[in-house]
Amino acid sequence: MSNIIDFRNITKIFGAVTALDDVSFSIQEGSIHAIVGENGAGKSTLMHILGGEYAPDGGEVVYRGTPVRLDSPHAAHALGVAVVYQEFRLCPNLTVTENLFLGRERELGNGKVDWPLMQTRATEILAGLGSSIPPTALVDSLSIADQQIVEIARALALDAEVIIMDEPTSALTLKEADDLFANLRALRARGVTILYISHRLEEIFPLCDRISVLRDGKFVGGFEIGDIDQAGVVRLIAGGDLADLHASEVRDYTDRQKVLEVNGLSRPGCFSNVSFAVHEGEIVGVYGLQGSGRTEVLETIFGLAPEWTGSITAFGQPMHNRSPSEAIRNGLAMIPENRRDAGIFPDMDIMENVNTANASDMSGFAGVLRRRFMADTTEEFIRKLRIKTSSRFKKISQLSGGNQQKVIIARWLASQPRIVLVDELTRGIDVSAKFEIYKILKSLRESGLSILMVSSELAEILAESDRILVMKNGAMVADLRGEKRTKEQVIRYALSGQ
Amino acid sequence: MTVETASSMSRLKGVFSSKKEIGIFFAFLAIFVFFSLMSPYFFNLENLINVLRQISLLGIIAMGMCLVIVCGEIDLSVGSIYGASAILTAVMMMNGLPIWLAFVLGLAAGTLFGLINGVLITYTKIPALIVTLGMMNVVRGVSLIISSGRVVNISPRTVDDPTLPMFLFLGQGKVAGIPVMCLFFIATAIGAYFLYSKTLLGFRMKAVGGSARAARASGINSNIVKTAAFAIVGFLSALAGLLNIAFLGSVQGTTGQGMELNAIAAVIIGGTSLAGGQGTMIGTVIGVLIMGVLNNGIILLGISPFWQMTIVGAVIILAVALDIWTRKSGRS
């Protein structure tokens, strides 16, 4: 097979940062080609160049042997390149068909707007993807997985020969991800080339044909998938030896004092009769498919749910939090799932982001802020958590995802909690920052904190938690410890519930 | 020379907390110098004090408006509150209430209107634009009903209270050559700056406006924070209204119409984003000054006052355009 795309000496500079440095490699036609690297390695920049969003400062993109100018998304579409971004670019207020032909309403009808014809074509394309989404449905009413299918369908409606997928499984359940993989394989069989950008090595290996690794804007290696293993790729991505980072000792702390006890907790429409306990100094993982009620349990404990029944006991005392501020007073902290919407204050600097949950410490008489205290606290955490920044006055939105999350962790440590609830702590964070965050979790355990950790990443749950709770369809189906704490068991309970 | 400029620049940076504020300050200086060169009447103490007096009332309201905008909200009812609290106070005085009590009750009425705004917006989730648009009309109606559409005068003939001259002093008097009204503006500006930059409440306004969900997850009760901002702007609008009647000695049902848009304009010219989450009190003061100097300068240059609105409108758009443009060029 021939190369459909050759990147030749691509360089892209943003101010003082070289996002891509002389990157050259080729994509074979009809293959699924993985591009991996840490956040900031240059994957997104490369994708934006191919999608016509950025112009390279040096080098050229060669398409089917001819150098091309991709100066707008439209130019990329005309060539047959479509990008499915992590944040979908769909109009939620329009129907599926309207979205598929947005901006090209006249194309099918030879200059006239022929909605029935577009409807038929939309149905065909969706059927080709094995989907039964009605083309008249509003995008807003679709699940995330279905919206993604609409994005892919739009690429096909453009007759795209190359589809770039950016972190496509980050919001999908296991089942939905499997359906996606089946679709991608079917597309490959039809000759479509797919560029697959992802952090999740475990899904790349069974799916992709080739893999290219970027690090700090440079191309550091390209392999047939059979010629390399996961450990090799991780080494290339990180540029160092990460062997020791996987080492994790599992402890049995179940004989210690129970700091949090949940009994018969139910919330209508979310989960019912959930019971478990967390012991002092324990990291308890909660695994389950999306929609199994994991996040809702955390929210309920933290006072974010309006109505629930059952009992919650903390440190031997009954606890009924009606708001997060009550939960904070009761020694709880919660790092929410969606960092960008519910975690960071994007316009604020690091210091202000750290000092938000520790109201009683950061302000003194008549609510006057204690700037010195705020500064000292921030500096201490920048040092302790190794937050990479030039100063505490930098806006949090200018930091990488991993460093943003460290700031959020600092915020919650500053509130001096005794139990920390975390939800998808490392989502969208690059490999080495992930390991740093795991180290932080371990050190918190040493200092006697208890951690209840929800995660969709099986590897993370297995490596980092002492005990694993599994949820399915709003019920707690397993409490796995000791020898039963294995990958197979966790998956079995998460899928079948027994 | 260059060394001197550099050191004065760094001194400027000490006063202002952001580059944005320095930019707005220089824009103000440019307008100021322009009018000084173009009109012999502009740069003299009497005129400048006059400008300061003219903008004081708008300035007092704009400081509160900035807090509301920082919270990611908007208040269209300030002009009506400004008028209504003055009429309520005047009517209470004329009906024999002691002036100090009428004064306090007038301020309380403004605060109450603000509180109602805040509670409706936060607890019923009706958008601020709608609540305060409604409130603007309701409160305006209250003014018209109470005054029956007539001018309400306060003078020794209508108000029987020996302390009336003291009250009028607040609007008409001067201390060391500076109108008392301006002192109120200066005090409000300092108070607002302190609240916004140095207190937990101000900090939380910024947090709530920046990300409502993150604020909630951090244990911040955004309903209370926002309601406080609306109550503050209600209080300040009433204060400005009372100073106005003390200055003019009279008030009517339509007093303060359009004030809300001027206050919002001053905040925006000052560099505060309508999106919420960031604002600048120093910028707002300069925004108010720019509007005052423009209005004054236009008249001194003999340009038809009908042009005032057109020019101020163009300045609003230009200010925001410049801000967006500088931010873009700063990024790439």
Side-chain angles (χ1 to χ4, degrees):
Chain A
M1 273 191 286
S2 60
N3 292 342
I4 187 158
I5 293 171
D6 299 285
F7 294 108
R8 288 194 189 150
N9 313 101
I10 301 278
T11 298
K12 178 73 190 171
I13 297 165
F14 295 105
V17 181
T18 305
L20 287 174
D21 185 3
D22 200 20
V23 168
S24 304
F25 65 97
S26 302
I27 314 282
Q28 274 182 2
E29 184 165 9
S31 67
I32 301 181
H33 192 121
I35 299 176
V36 297
E38 286 186 294
N39 284 345
K43 298 173 310 212
S44 336
T45 310
L46 194 64
M47 175 183 71
H48 280 108
I49 286 175
L50 201 53
E53 304 254 353
Y54 298 159
D57 294 316
E60 58 187 6
V61 177
V62 177
Y63 193 82
R64 294 193 188 283
T66 326
V68 287
R69 246 175 76 99
L70 296 162
D71 49 8
S72 70
H74 190 76
H77 290 165
L79 207 61
V81 176
V83 185
V84 177
Y85 290 97
Q86 195 174 358
E87 274 88 35
F88 302 145
R89 300 196 173 174
L90 297 170
C91 299
N93 55 331
L94 300 182
T95 67
V96 172
T97 306
E98 285 163 347
N99 267 289
L100 288 194
F101 295 96
L102 204 60
R104 302 177 301 116
E105 294 85 355
R106 292 159 190 274
E107 220 166 81
L108 280 186
N110 284 326
K112 275 188 297 199
V113 180
D114 188 344
W115 286 116
L117 188 60
M118 282 186 252
Q119 204 88 283
T120 317
R121 180 80 185 110
T123 316
E124 277 171 30
I125 295 171
L126 289 168
L129 290 169
S131 161
S132 56
I133 307 168
T136 50
L138 281 182
V139 164
D140 206 19
S141 67
L142 301 179
S143 69
I144 298 290
D146 281 348
Q147 291 188 21
Q148 188 177 54
I149 288 174
V150 175
E151 277 273 12
I152 297 172
R154 180 158 72 176
L156 296 178
L158 287 162
D159 295 320
E161 298 172 319
V162 178
I163 299 178
I164 303 162
M165 305 285 305
D166 181 20
E167 297 284 350
T169 57
S170 59
L172 301 187
T173 64
L174 281 180
K175 167 82 174 63
E176 288 166 342
D178 279 340
D179 292 344
L180 172 73
F181 300 149
N183 264 325
L184 295 182
R185 290 194 181 96
L187 288 174
R188 173 174 61 187
R190 282 155 60 181
V192 177
T193 309
I194 292 160
L195 265 67
Y196 193 88
I197 295 168
S198 180
H199 280 120
R200 300 189 180 175
L201 296 181
E202 67 272 20
E203 60 188 38
I204 285 175
F205 276 83
L207 179 69
C208 300
D209 305 307
R210 284 184 63 83
I211 184 165
S212 293
V213 184
L214 296 177
R215 189 204 316 145
D216 296 333
K218 294 191 183 72
F219 175 74
V220 292
F223 306 89
E224 292 290 335
I225 211 78
D227 296 346
I228 190 164
D229 59 0
Q230 283 202 28
V233 174
V234 169
R235 262 197 303 280
L236 272 175
I237 289 173
D241 198 29
L242 289 176
D244 64 324
L245 292 171
H246 266 298
S248 124
E249 53 329 2
V250 174
R251 297 182 180 178
D252 188 352
Y253 278 171
T254 46
D255 53 342
R256 287 202 178 183
Q257 187 210 345
K258 286 178 183 170
V259 293
L260 180 71
E261 246 188 301
V262 171
N263 269 310
L265 195 67
S266 302
R267 185 171 148 194
C270 297
F271 54 83
S272 60
N273 204 16
V274 166
S275 304
F276 63 92
V278 177
H279 304 84
E280 191 185 354
E282 207 179 19
I283 300 181
V284 178
V286 183
Y287 186 78
L289 304 182
Q290 217 137 42
S292 60
R294 309 164 306 182
T295 298
E296 288 78 3
V297 169
L298 293 199
E299 285 174 355
T300 306
I301 298 172
F302 198 61
L304 281 160
E307 276 177 32
W308 52 272
T309 55
S311 78
I312 303 174
T313 311
F315 314 105
Q317 302 284 327
M319 179 175 74
H320 190 132
N321 298 320
R322 270 157 306 187
S323 68
S325 56
E326 249 179 88
I328 294 168
R329 276 197 297 278
N330 284 324
L332 262 59
M334 177 161 157
I335 302 178
E337 177 176 23
N338 197 329
R339 184 174 62 244
R340 241 185 357 198
D341 287 353
I344 66 168
F345 295 99
D347 293 326
M348 290 189 166
D349 63 28
I350 295 172
M351 178 168 79
E352 294 172 319
N353 266 287
V354 168
N355 292 279
T356 44
N358 54 342
S360 52
D361 292 329
M362 66 189 263
S363 63
F365 175 71
V368 176
L369 295 179
R370 295 167 60 199
R371 288 269 160 194
R372 168 52 57 83
F373 171 83
M374 290 165 72
D376 290 347
T377 309
T378 311
E379 290 299 337
E380 183 191 327
F381 282 115
I382 287 177
R383 213 174 39 246
K384 261 204 216 157
L385 306 185
R386 298 205 294 153
I387 297 169
K388 274 179 220 144
T389 176
S390 48
S391 103
R392 64 175 183 270
F393 299 113
K394 204 165 176 179
K395 269 196 186 179
I396 192 169
S397 44
Q398 293 172 324
L399 301 182
S400 70
N403 280 303
Q404 286 184 5
Q405 194 67 298
K406 285 188 196 171
V407 173
I408 304 296
I409 294 174
R411 168 192 300 169
W412 288 108
L413 295 184
S415 75
Q416 297 175 324
R418 296 178 62 189
I419 305 170
V420 184
L421 316 174
V422 302
D423 197 354
E424 304 290 2
L425 189 62
T426 61
R427 174 177 287 173
I429 288 176
D430 63 65
V431 180
S432 60
K434 258 184 196 178
F435 287 123
E436 278 189 67
I437 286 174
Y438 296 150
K439 265 191 190 164
I440 295 170
L441 284 187
K442 292 277 155 68
S443 71
L444 295 181
R445 178 175 69 172
E446 295 306 320
S447 61
L449 248 77
S450 310
I451 296 166
L452 188 60
M453 175 176 82
V454 162
S455 174
S456 294
E457 270 187 64
L458 195 50
E460 174 171 306
I461 286 275
L462 284 166
E464 308 309 324
S465 40
D466 299 320
R467 198 149 58 81
I468 300 174
L469 306 173
V470 185
M471 287 191 73
K472 180 178 191 305
N473 289 342
M476 192 64 84
V477 292
D479 177 351
L480 303 171
R481 60 184 93 177
E483 287 171 4
K484 280 162 61 190
R485 197 186 146 291
T486 64
K487 190 175 179 178
E488 291 68 29
Q489 293 279 345
V490 175
I491 292 177
R492 203 188 87 201
Y493 279 106
L495 293 179
S496 68
Q498 51 187 308
Chain B
M1 183 64 199
T2 46
V3 175
E4 210 168 84
T5 353
S7 79
S8 61
M9 267 306 280
S10 66
R11 225 175 299 143
L12 264 182
K13 273 183 194 152
V15 175
F16 299 114
S17 54
S18 75
K19 270 193 221 154
K20 209 174 188 177
E21 288 167 356
I22 298 176
I24 296 154
F25 180 69
F26 277 114
F28 168 68
L29 269 191
I31 296 170
F32 193 87
V33 169
F34 173 79
F35 284 127
S36 302
L37 294 175
M38 297 299 288
S39 166
Y41 309 109
F42 180 78
F43 193 75
N44 82 44
L45 193 62
E46 202 179 330
N47 183 54
L48 293 182
I49 286 182
N50 192 32
V51 171
L52 201 58
R53 189 191 51 70
Q54 282 168 354
I55 55 151
S56 285
L57 301 183
L58 175 68
I60 289 171
I61 297 179
M63 300 320 293
M65 183 66 81
C66 188
L67 294 176
V68 169
I69 290 177
V70 163
C71 290
E73 303 289 350
I74 195 92
D75 189 345
L76 297 179
S77 65
V78 294
S80 296
I81 296 176
Y82 169 86
S85 19
I87 286 186
L88 283 168
T89 307
V91 169
M92 285 188 276
M93 287 179 185
M94 289 157 70
N95 283 303
L97 240 64
I99 284 183
W100 69 267
L101 185 59
F103 187 85
V104 170
L105 288 176
L107 292 178
T111 314
L112 181 69
F113 288 135
L115 270 175
I116 295 172
N117 276 336
V119 169
L120 283 176
I121 289 159
T122 54
Y123 288 91
T124 65
K125 309 286 173 215
I126 306 171
L129 194 74
I130 293 170
V131 169
T132 61
L133 182 68
M135 212 47 180
M136 173 174 111
N137 287 298
V138 168
V139 176
R140 178 65 61 200
V142 168
S143 294
L144 292 168
I145 294 164
I146 295 176
S147 67
S148 312
R150 282 193 290 272
V151 179
V152 179
N153 282 302
I154 54 163
S155 67
R157 280 192 299 118
T158 55
V159 176
D160 181 26
D161 187 323
T163 56
L164 182 64
M166 281 169 67
F167 174 66
L168 296 178
F169 179 78
L170 296 180
Q172 299 164 2
K174 287 186 179 181
V175 172
I178 301 170
V180 176
M181 239 188 223
C182 301
L183 298 178
F184 272 100
F185 172 40
I186 294 167
T188 305
I190 293 172
Y193 176 81
F194 182 79
L195 173 76
Y196 181 62
S197 311
K198 308 283 180 199
T199 72
L200 190 61
L201 181 61
F203 179 76
R204 291 191 156 177
M205 288 178 179
K206 203 157 55 152
V208 164
S211 171
R213 286 186 61 194
R216 179 153 189 250
S218 304
I220 297 173
N221 185 332
S222 61
N223 290 358
I224 291 177
V225 173
K226 284 181 179 179
T227 303
F230 279 102
I232 290 171
V233 77
F235 171 84
L236 291 176
S237 304
L239 175 65
L242 294 179
L243 293 176
N244 183 49
I245 189 173
F247 175 65
L248 295 175
S250 71
V251 60
Q252 57 192 45
T254 52
T255 299
Q257 268 180 350
M259 196 87 165
E260 58 284 336
L261 297 182
N262 283 332
I264 295 169
V267 173
I268 292 171
I269 292 174
T272 293
S273 151
L274 268 186
Q278 49 182 338
T280 140
M281 294 300 146
I282 295 174
T284 300
V285 170
I286 301 173
V288 171
L289 287 173
I290 287 179
M291 289 188 62
V293 166
L294 274 180
N295 286 335
N296 178 261
I298 288 165
I299 291 169
L300 291 183
L301 290 188
I303 301 170
S304 155
F306 301 135
W307 276 96
Q308 269 183 32
M309 292 186 82
T310 313
I311 293 175
V312 170
V315 168
I316 297 171
I317 297 174
L318 190 72
V320 176
L322 275 178
D323 179 43
I324 291 173
W325 181 70
T326 46
R327 242 185 302 164
K328 261 190 194 154
S329 64
R331 208 179 297 147
S332 63

